[in-house]
Amino acid sequence: MYAITGITGQVGSALADALFAAGRPVRAVVRDASKAEPFVARGAEVAVAELHDTAALSRAFSGAEAVFILLPPVFDPAPDFLTAEDPAIASIYDALLAARPKQVVALSTIGADATQENLLSRLTRMERVLGGLPVPVTFLRAGWFLENARWDVASARDDGVIDSFLAPLDRKIAMVATRDVGQLAASLLDERCEGHRVVELEGAGRVSPNDIAAAFSRALGRDVRARLVPRATWAARFTADGMSNPTPRMRMIDGFNEGWIDFGADAIKGTTSLDVVMAGLLSKPVG
């Protein structure tokens, strides 16, 4: 049995697709049983558990041969998010310790090895905590998701412009499709390794903001250009969007722009192209 958290999201659903295609038994770990109905229709079991509910999570992982962990992102964390107790991470640790599956794959991120604090540092903390488990754990560090371009669909379609915090506009960074993340996660869950390891994953080629604009242009049949958002305006812009603590997010973007968030030469390369991802984004309702 493969217990999957975050199964209703983009990575989790891609992982489920890969596991079903391989004939693996799936247990969907969800907060709301109704959200798992599409997976139940394909043969999955359901376990209802909140990540911070250790007892329920332990039951959800019980008897599972392998477990996939996806820690939900927090885009506007409290100022003490790296020093205060993190109930979800602590609960995941305790539940895995109780269940002791043969293999754990935890979705981490590019930049989890960065020494400068930023929004991604919560996953650094997750790696450190789960690295103390006496079971095999693979930390799958994925690049910037290509699907983040969904936030630009409306402006590209309506105005022919996408705003970019990444700079300069022609600088290519490690991005990857969530489909590739899910497929690699499925393969890693099938492996039997000893101890703890890190696997890095990016797309077949690196992508710049200008590349994303060009992909929009091809898909929409109209000119689309990338427009730089000046660094001096970020705090006001994020605050206007409702964030109370934008600094971690700003430092994350700084990390990509300044190069201290990156992969080395040994990252695994995915196969899903930017144009394929773009076609998928444009086929969905905007909203």
Side-chain angles (χ1 to χ4, degrees):
M1 182 60 64
Y2 293 65
I4 310 301
T5 64
I7 196 169
T8 60
Q10 294 181 101
V11 171
S13 60
L15 168 57
D17 288 342
L19 291 176
F20 284 129
R24 302 292 185 265
V26 173
R27 179 182 295 158
V29 182
V30 292
R31 293 178 297 172
D32 180 350
S34 66
K35 301 293 185 182
E37 289 177 0
F39 304 101
V40 172
R42 300 170 69 181
E45 290 184 6
V46 177
V48 178
E50 297 272 1
L51 288 185
H52 60 264
D53 185 340
T54 305
L57 201 59
S58 298
R59 291 191 295 271
F61 295 162
S62 178
E65 182 178 357
V67 176
F68 178 74
I69 298 298
L70 192 154
L71 187 66
V74 177
F75 296 106
D76 188 21
D80 63 349
F81 77 109
L82 294 179
T83 56
E85 181 182 3
D86 194 313
I89 294 176
S91 178
I92 290 168
Y93 175 91
D94 289 341
L96 290 171
L97 185 62
R100 299 198 177 223
K102 295 179 180 178
Q103 179 66 32
V104 175
V105 175
L107 182 62
S108 187
T109 181
I110 185 173
D113 58 343
T115 58
Q116 301 188 46
E117 292 184 359
N118 67 93
L119 189 64
L120 304 178
S121 298
R122 185 174 181 231
L123 289 167
T124 308
R125 182 180 190 178
M126 180 197 73
E127 287 193 10
R128 183 174 65 252
V129 172
L130 299 190
L133 285 165
V135 298
V137 182
T138 298
F139 297 107
L140 174 52
R141 294 180 181 170
W144 181 290
F145 289 165
L146 287 169
E147 285 81 1
N148 289 339
R150 70 187 182 277
W151 304 112
D152 300 313
V153 168
S155 63
R157 178 179 285 153
D158 299 341
D159 305 319
V161 175
I162 61 171
D163 284 342
S164 176
F165 297 92
L166 295 174
L169 295 175
D170 61 352
R171 183 171 186 271
K172 298 176 183 290
I173 68 169
M175 298 191 186
V176 67
T178 54
R179 176 185 178 186
D180 289 341
V181 181
Q183 289 179 336
L184 180 56
S187 296
L188 296 173
L189 285 169
D190 265 343
E191 295 181 8
R192 292 295 170 261
C193 65
E194 298 295 329
H196 305 136
R197 62 175 174 169
V198 171
V199 174
E200 298 177 337
L201 174 67
E202 61 177 281
R206 295 202 163 189
V207 177
S208 71
N210 283 342
D211 292 332
I212 294 174
F216 272 119
S217 296
R218 291 190 294 271
L220 293 171
R222 64 162 299 172
D223 288 337
V224 178
R225 64 181 179 87
R227 178 175 60 192
L228 189 64
V229 179
R231 176 66 165 77
T233 69
W234 291 2
R237 183 162 176 156
F238 290 149
T239 300
D241 288 341
M243 295 186 69
S244 59
N245 181 30
T247 299
R249 183 179 179 185
M250 293 166 59
R251 291 299 293 149
M252 176 191 72
I253 301 168
D254 286 338
F256 283 100
N257 292 345
E258 296 169 8
W260 47 268
I261 291 180
D262 201 355
F263 284 146
D266 296 330
I268 295 172
K269 304 298 190 291
T271 60
T272 304
S273 70
L274 172 58
D275 285 337
V276 168
V277 171
M278 192 63 65
L281 294 178
L282 293 174
S283 69
K284 299 175 183 178
V286 179

